[in-house]
Amino acid sequence: MSKGKVWKYGDDVNTDVIFPGKYTYSVLDPAEMAKHALEDLDPEFAHKVKPGDIVVAGKNFGCGSSREQAATCLKFAGVQAVIAKSFARIFFRNAINQGLPVVQCSEAVDNVESGEKISIDFAAGQIKGEKGIFTFAPLPEFILRILDSGGLIPYIKKKKIEREKNLGDKNA
Amino acid sequence: MGQTFSEKVLGAKARKTVKAGEIVTVSPDYILTHDNSAAIIQEFRKLEIERVKCAEKIVIVLDHVVPASSEKYAQNHKDIREFVREQGIPHFFDVHHGICHQVFAENGFALPGKLILGADSHTTSYGALGAFSAGIGRSEAASVWATDGIWLKVPETIRIEMNGKFPAMVSAKDVILKIIGDEGADRANYKAVEFAGPAAKNLSLASRLVMANMAAEMGAKNGYFAPDEKTISWLEGRTQGEFDVVVSDSDADYGAILNYDLATIEPQVACPHTVDNVRPVSEVQGTPFHQAIIGTCTNGRIEDLRVAAKIMKGKKIHPGVRVLVIPASRREYIQALQEGELETLVSAGCLVLNPGCGPCLGAHQGILAPGEVAISTANRNFRGRMGSRDSAIYLASPATVAASALEGKIADPRKYE
Ligand code: SF4
């Protein structure tokens, strides 16, 4: 499990501060989206974030719009995972569908600080920080499969290819 | 133990009896997308599937940046029109129809008992007509186009019992803001919100749309009003579609029941920068602002324009502010033209924009400069939403915004009764 540096924020981090509405229909390239990640919350973030870093936040992370770019921009900024006390439901789905792991763990949120290095074991449901080990309920099997495929679109595509291959094998 | 509306609709779709908390795989009746269809098309293409599975279930409304404000937006719209032609999508509404949620409802797609998904968080709106409707993201919309299926968790339900009658100049917007302020922006996260009680029956369909729309701001998966005679007569002439009225059993298992007496509600204002930062107007009156907005998918219907026109009739807006009026759809626009509200509002100094999202999401038409403040009838006041990160948005009812527009500072509408 690679360690990632923590960027910690508060409650109700909404989709407008994660990815401002003015870009929603004009910035379409994921690498470009990453440059605006968390722009209206922490203008420093997009410049300083490193691959593998971890965003930690309070309750209701990702509330607001259904804009999936809120997950895409974090993923392409290199964020390894988001840990929060709770997630807004559309953001939760979008993150999984973008292949961005989301972890609900209040204990970890209360016990890690900005700048510290932590690691996450998704299958075991464990977060290791300086102040200890915090456990969380691992995501259901089928969601982990979507995450492992890199998101919903690659997952469906993989399933389609498997189906076609099976059909081909039967016909052969 | 009986079942809630949400358990019944999702159970019927999954062809089994389900309880809150279960995950089901279902096929929706309709899937709504808007300008974001351009990005969804890109995702769909990645699947290397030639044709959408059910073209007749897809509803596309161009509304977010209409007419196109730049070459980039123009290209998006062009890509969408070409896709609509290529795939033979029958339900396409080009830039002149209005805001997706109003257009979707008034064209009879939002029907009792239907399962509707939309790539927009305010898809919760159609619960006003007794549908189960929830917002999803872009990848999911592309995947529903391709596979006609999606997984959903059956939500637990919060029931909100409403009694009593509104005082003058107090409306659905005030009560939903009050509920969100009391309960918090994540109170209904992953949950359904059922608006019920005798006062729910008294609400017009337009008012029900306001509340179901804003259920999204409590984090709700879906909002819901049990269909009644008003729903059925509203749908007459708007739909040829068949539907089944689905209602919660009287002994259904609710996660929580909240009670509200409408007679005790004052005009409410959501202050910057969260929708649950709500105060009664008496605490914020006198706050200066620069731009007022009356309209959007939340409060751009004829009943909203009527209240605003009533307050502004024969008067002028304060010279220090600008006031934008955005009818929710072309139909509402025409009615307000015929009835004269638009003449009243324009005479008072308001600027009428074409039906569409306009400045609501900060993309065009009325962007805020740093340091500027807006008061709006929309549903969301997040930092930077309407332009500069250093601007601020207050949310209120059409009556409060109209009264404030006359005074150039936030004002209590009750004195204009
Ligand atoms: S008017 Fe505003 S809230 Fe409504 S659909 Fe448009 S952008 Fe969304």
Side-chain angles (χ1 to χ4, degrees):
Chain A
M1 277 338 105
S2 63
K3 286 197 167 191
K5 194 178 103 174
V6 168
W7 295 78
K8 190 168 170 182
Y9 303 103
D11 291 341
D12 299 313
V13 173
N14 67 66
T15 50
D16 277 285
V17 296
I18 302 173
F19 191 76
K22 57 183 174 249
Y23 304 130
T24 50
Y25 304 101
S26 51
V27 178
L28 298 179
D29 175 39
E32 283 297 310
M33 286 180 198
K35 292 186 189 158
H36 300 291
L38 292 177
E39 186 169 288
D40 280 354
L41 179 68
D42 176 1
E44 293 275 279
F45 176 82
H47 303 292
K48 299 205 173 147
V49 63
K50 296 258 165 10
D53 283 1
I54 294 167
V55 171
V56 174
K59 65 185 177 60
N60 208 21
F61 186 89
C63 61
S65 159
S66 64
R67 72 184 63 135
E68 195 159 320
Q69 300 94 310
T72 316
C73 71
L74 293 175
K75 168 147 173 132
F76 281 82
V79 171
Q80 176 187 159
V82 182
I83 303 173
K85 291 189 177 179
S86 66
F87 291 90
R89 65 165 283 275
I90 304 182
F91 180 86
F92 183 85
R93 299 182 72 102
N94 284 341
I96 289 158
N97 293 336
Q98 284 294 316
L100 172 69
V102 273
V103 174
Q104 195 168 331
C105 183
S106 296
E107 214 197 341
V109 175
D110 287 335
N111 287 291
V112 305
E113 299 307 330
S114 266
E116 107 174 57
K117 298 254 175 137
I118 63 172
S119 64
I120 310 171
D121 184 335
F122 295 102
Q126 281 193 344
I127 297 165
K128 268 192 204 134
E130 282 166 13
K131 287 197 203 143
I133 296 178
F134 315 104
T135 55
F136 61 91
L139 292 165
E141 228 346 89
F142 80 98
I143 288 184
L144 287 175
R145 277 203 299 273
I146 298 175
L147 280 173
D148 284 345
S149 312
L152 183 65
I153 297 293
Y155 173 73
I156 294 179
K157 199 165 161 194
K158 200 167 95 189
K159 279 210 317 201
K160 175 182 160 246
I161 293 166
E162 280 166 14
R163 219 171 28 244
E164 284 165 0
K165 186 167 168 291
N166 284 341
L167 275 179
D169 289 349
K170 269 186 217 142
N171 293 342
Chain B
M1 186 58 88
Q3 287 196 296
T4 64
F5 160 77
S6 296
E7 289 168 335
K8 286 186 183 180
V9 171
L10 293 178
K13 286 284 172 192
R15 295 200 185 80
K16 57 181 186 180
T17 309
V18 301
K19 291 280 330 151
E22 269 180 60
I23 288 176
V24 292
T25 302
V26 290
S27 165
D29 292 299
Y30 289 112
I31 162 127
L32 165 78
T33 62
H34 45 67
D35 299 37
N36 59 9
S37 309
I40 296 166
I41 292 165
Q42 289 187 356
E43 295 301 312
F44 177 79
R45 300 276 192 223
K46 286 187 199 158
L47 293 170
E48 293 169 17
I49 292 173
E50 232 159 81
R51 305 211 61 87
V52 297
K53 190 128 181 223
C54 295
E56 67 285 358
K57 289 187 177 183
I58 298 176
V59 179
I60 298 180
V61 184
L62 296 187
D63 64 349
H64 270 52
V65 188
V66 296
S69 66
S70 70
E71 199 176 326
K72 180 73 220 152
Y73 290 109
Q75 185 64 47
N76 285 351
H77 291 172
K78 181 166 179 251
D79 292 348
I80 296 165
R81 291 185 190 107
E82 280 168 9
F83 185 78
V84 163
R85 263 197 303 277
E86 166 200 311
Q87 298 287 329
I89 292 167
H91 307 305
F92 172 62
F93 298 87
D94 214 320
V95 297
H96 56 296
H97 287 86
I99 306 173
C100 60
H101 302 305
Q102 182 64 15
V103 170
F104 190 93
E106 69 188 11
N107 282 282
F109 298 108
L111 295 172
K114 298 285 184 206
L115 171 59
I116 297 159
L117 301 171
D120 187 279
S121 53
H122 297 106
T123 301
T124 54
S125 299
Y126 317 127
L129 291 128
F132 182 102
S133 55
I136 57 171
R138 290 177 175 184
S139 296
E140 283 182 315
S143 120
V144 172
W145 283 1
T147 66
D148 191 30
I150 189 166
W151 68 268
L152 291 173
K153 191 152 144 197
V154 182
E156 181 185 295
T157 302
I158 299 176
R159 184 178 162 100
I160 300 183
E161 279 274 334
M162 296 185 286
N163 284 285
K165 285 214 167 61
F166 285 125
M169 292 292 168
V170 176
S171 66
K173 183 61 162 285
D174 298 300
V175 66
I176 190 68
L177 285 175
K178 173 96 176 91
I179 295 169
I180 296 167
D182 289 351
E183 298 295 320
D186 65 343
R187 176 64 169 90
N189 204 359
Y190 306 106
K191 297 187 173 71
V193 175
E194 178 166 337
F195 297 100
K201 289 219 163 304
N202 294 337
L203 293 177
S204 67
L205 266 292
S207 293
R208 294 179 196 181
L209 281 160
V210 173
M211 297 188 71
N213 176 288
M214 290 206 65
E217 306 307 323
M218 302 171 74
K221 178 174 220 153
N222 60 310
Y224 170 72
F225 281 84
D228 56 13
E229 321 72 57
K230 275 191 188 162
T231 317
I232 307 302
S233 67
W234 193 89
L235 285 168
E236 260 166 37
R238 288 186 164 98
T239 185
Q240 270 92 52
E242 307 216 324
F243 57 85
D244 288 317
V245 169
V246 180
V247 296
S248 297
D249 293 327
S250 53
D251 58 344
D253 189 5
Y254 292 104
I257 299 179
L258 311 175
N259 286 288
Y260 278 85
D261 178 2
L262 305 191
T264 63
I265 299 209
E266 278 192 58
Q268 304 285 315
V269 179
C271 302
H273 297 284
T274 56
V275 187
D276 58 2
N277 185 14
V278 176
R279 310 231 201 108
V281 72
S282 50
E283 287 179 22
V284 286
Q285 60 189 358
T287 308
F289 64 90
H290 306 86
Q291 176 167 290
I293 293 172
I294 300 170
T296 76
C297 67
T298 318
N299 279 113
R301 282 170 283 270
I302 191 71
E303 74 173 32
D304 306 312
L305 301 176
R306 280 185 193 139
V307 177
K310 188 176 162 210
I311 291 172
M312 290 199 193
K313 183 130 194 122
K315 304 197 177 73
K316 290 273 181 269
I317 62 166
H318 189 275
V321 301
R322 47 199 195 260
V323 183
L324 311 179
V325 174
I326 315 170
S329 71
R330 184 175 49 142
R331 287 196 201 183
E332 301 296 302
Y333 193 156
I334 291 173
Q335 194 174 348
L337 274 175
Q338 289 171 341
E339 290 185 10
E341 285 86 7
L342 293 184
E343 187 180 343
T344 303
L345 295 171
V346 174
S347 305
C350 302
L351 184 62
V352 179
L353 305 184
N354 59 301
C357 296
C360 179
L361 75 159
H364 73 152
Q365 290 180 320
I367 302 304
L368 300 177
E372 284 195 323
V373 175
I375 183 165
S376 163
T377 65
N379 46 28
R380 206 166 262 166
N381 61 349
F382 298 157
R383 180 185 284 281
R385 178 164 173 95
M386 228 177 258
S388 166
R389 158 173 215 281
D390 299 316
S391 59
I393 307 168
Y394 290 83
L395 303 175
S397 72
T400 303
V401 176
S404 306
L406 293 179
E407 301 192 13
K409 50 194 196 304
I410 297 180
D412 189 331
R414 286 172 295 184
K415 62 182 140 182
Y416 293 90
E417 192 190 322

